[in-house]
Amino acid sequence: SVCPGDTSVLAGLYGPAEAKISKELPDRAALEVLLRPKVGLPGVLERSREQLLRQTCEAVLLGVLHPRTAISLVLQVLSDAGSLLSCCLNAACMALLDAGLPLAALFCGVTCALQPDGTILLDPTARQEQEARAILTFAIASGDRKVLMATTKGSCSVEEMQQCLAAAQRAASTIFQFYRDSVRRRYSKS
Amino acid sequence: LLCGPGLRRSGAGLLVTKCGLLRHRPGGGGAYWVDSQQKRYVPVKGDHVIGIVTAKAGDVFRLDVGGSEPASLSYLAFEGATKRNRPNVQVGDLIYGQFVVANKDMEPEMVCIDSSGKSSGMGIIGQDGFLFKVSLGLIRKLLAPKCEIIQELSQLYPFELVLGMNGRIWVKAKTVQQTLIIVNILEACEYMTAEQRKQALAKLSGN
């Protein structure tokens, strides 16, 4: 489970397992993402987030090594205090790493909030998200800091988006270092 | 130069696809691979695994090996089996065999004889005993030559042990209680250091 601040998401990855005939793809693995909110049934917002996560994961997963199989990623939101989508992205990447699935690159999620006066805030809390003019979430790949996924809520100009992207790419290094430290701790025990 | 699990050739260079410790074997041109911890098994040709018979379909048994597809085992693939002399395999039996075909595009196939036609320890695993699942890293550790865990355990009680590369271990000792003690120690070995293990075994052999 991954928790930046008070937002917390539990991720479970199952696979490569047997796929239903209707869902299996002949040349690659079929990835399915399920996002469950803390209270209530999953709605349209969860569905759109699931699609974003699925497309990001499929971009890094080497699905061609496991054709006709199904990989399921289940995310349960334990607590939400802002920047939920980037927390889900980080949890998904750590689940893929932990399960030992073949990946071409790692990715991390960073959320930027644009305040009404133009300042950029990284990893905003729920309160800051409400007051912000625009919220941008980026999924950034590990090798060359390329952008895998970008989603925006609210409006901002192109220059502001470029600035947020640059700030997010800088912040991504901290998150990748955190991945490295967690994995090192896990392997040092054995 | 040989690329083992966890590494792939891409273009002119190497791509690391899994996280873990990078290992190197200097003999015969050098081989590199990544030692990663995993629980899910992916069938590999030549691996010895323990499978559970789930169905009999004509001349072929379907075995669950813990991968994404059931493996198939022909009834002629046992030592001394002919069309008249069929092996006595029921649904739910445990079989120890090796993969003769295991790639990503085809259904895995197993046999219980090696290339010369001898069974060399493979075949149906007998009655009683206990089957349980551990992670693949622990199996690799136990299969290393001169494994300390197995030597220390054998000084405790005599027991029979079958290790499958798919994470399954079958244990049989003289009484049910001894079997369960060995199962618990093997499961806990994954997270214990050598000193903790020696302490636990000393406590048990003192009792």
Side-chain angles (χ1 to χ4, degrees):
Chain A
S1 62
V2 176
C3 0
D6 298 317
T7 313
S8 169
V9 173
L10 188 66
L13 190 94
Y14 304 97
E18 192 143 10
K20 289 194 197 147
I21 311 266
S22 57
K23 290 208 182 140
E24 69 178 7
L25 299 166
D27 59 335
R28 50 184 303 132
L31 177 66
E32 188 191 359
V33 179
L34 295 165
L35 177 60
R36 298 263 174 269
K38 185 176 168 200
V39 285
L41 291 167
V44 177
L45 189 58
E46 276 75 35
R47 290 274 169 265
S48 69
R49 287 196 174 138
E50 283 171 14
Q51 290 305 314
L52 288 171
L53 285 162
R54 194 177 67 81
Q55 277 156 5
T56 317
C57 291
E58 286 208 340
V60 293
L61 187 66
L62 291 171
V64 288
L65 289 176
H66 299 289
R68 299 182 328 279
T69 63
I71 300 178
S72 323
L73 175 62
V74 180
L75 296 157
Q76 170 67 52
V77 178
L78 298 171
S79 66
D80 184 1
S83 356
L84 182 64
L85 185 55
S86 59
C87 189
C88 293
L89 280 165
N90 292 333
C93 185
M94 296 219 78
L96 286 167
L97 250 186
D98 198 44
L101 283 173
L103 299 174
L106 296 177
F107 60 91
C108 75
V110 185
T111 312
C112 297
L114 255 184
Q115 306 279 54
D117 57 355
T119 46
I120 300 177
L121 262 176
L122 289 178
D123 282 334
T125 61
R127 184 80 190 271
Q128 288 161 344
E129 277 184 358
Q130 296 249 332
E131 293 163 4
R133 190 167 30 116
I135 304 173
L136 300 100
T137 308
F138 298 104
I140 301 187
S142 64
D144 39 7
R145 304 289 186 268
K146 284 217 175 97
V147 179
L148 290 173
M149 190 267 299
T151 179
T152 319
K153 187 168 152 190
S155 62
C156 65
S157 69
V158 180
E159 294 85 28
E160 283 164 343
M161 182 166 180
Q162 299 286 350
Q163 284 170 0
C164 287
L165 183 54
Q169 280 169 334
R170 279 193 296 272
S173 315
T174 340
I175 303 187
F176 289 128
Q177 188 57 40
F178 170 71
Y179 286 173
R180 205 172 264 272
D181 291 336
S182 329
V183 172
R184 186 167 292 148
R185 231 175 322 146
R186 183 171 181 234
Y187 279 88
S188 68
K189 276 194 203 151
S190 53
Chain B
L1 189 70
L2 213 60
C3 264
L7 295 171
R8 262 174 88 76
R9 283 179 197 273
S10 79
L14 284 179
L15 186 65
V16 179
T17 56
K18 296 198 188 176
C19 72
L21 303 165
L22 183 68
R23 301 252 190 240
H24 168 61
R25 189 185 65 205
Y32 287 90
W33 70 94
V34 179
D35 228 353
S36 68
Q37 288 189 1
Q38 246 181 290
K39 282 193 194 163
R40 186 88 198 168
Y41 177 66
V42 172
V44 169
K45 182 173 168 176
D47 263 2
H48 292 260
V49 293
I50 300 182
I52 307 177
V53 180
T54 52
K56 276 203 253 192
D59 292 337
V60 147
F61 305 115
R62 292 251 167 268
L63 298 173
D64 163 39
V65 288
S68 57
E69 273 182 300
S72 70
L73 171 64
S74 158
Y75 74 94
L76 288 171
F78 290 85
E79 184 174 1
T82 59
K83 288 203 181 132
R84 304 272 174 99
N85 180 16
R86 288 173 182 241
N88 184 17
V89 175
Q90 307 303 324
V91 172
D93 276 352
L94 295 177
I95 306 248
Y96 183 63
Q98 69 177 347
F99 283 115
V100 71
V101 168
N103 52 33
K104 60 186 171 75
D105 301 307
M106 290 167 57
E107 179 193 49
E109 287 175 25
M110 277 178 60
V111 288
C112 286
I113 51 174
D114 59 14
S115 44
S116 61
K118 302 261 172 57
S119 75
S120 63
M122 297 190 272
I124 310 173
I125 297 180
Q127 297 297 315
D128 304 330
F130 191 89
L131 178 78
F132 61 103
K133 193 167 186 321
V134 291
S135 80
L136 307 186
L138 179 64
I139 299 275
R140 283 199 294 263
K141 215 173 11 172
L142 289 171
L143 276 173
K146 298 204 188 70
C147 172
E148 288 182 349
I149 307 179
I150 305 218
Q151 282 172 348
E152 286 170 16
L153 272 178
S154 58
Q155 283 163 1
L156 196 60
Y157 308 120
F159 61 92
E160 267 179 79
L161 180 72
V162 179
L163 297 170
M165 296 285 294
N166 52 348
R168 295 185 181 166
I169 305 184
W170 179 87
V171 178
K172 181 173 165 181
K174 281 216 193 100
T175 68
V176 173
Q177 206 183 14
Q178 289 180 356
T179 311
L180 289 174
I181 291 176
I182 298 176
V183 165
N184 285 331
I185 295 184
L186 283 171
E187 275 177 344
C189 266
E190 195 162 355
Y191 302 111
M192 287 203 289
T193 59
E195 293 90 38
Q196 286 170 324
R197 201 175 60 230
K198 289 192 173 70
Q199 280 173 5
L201 286 170
K203 229 181 348 170
L204 280 167
S205 55
N207 284 355

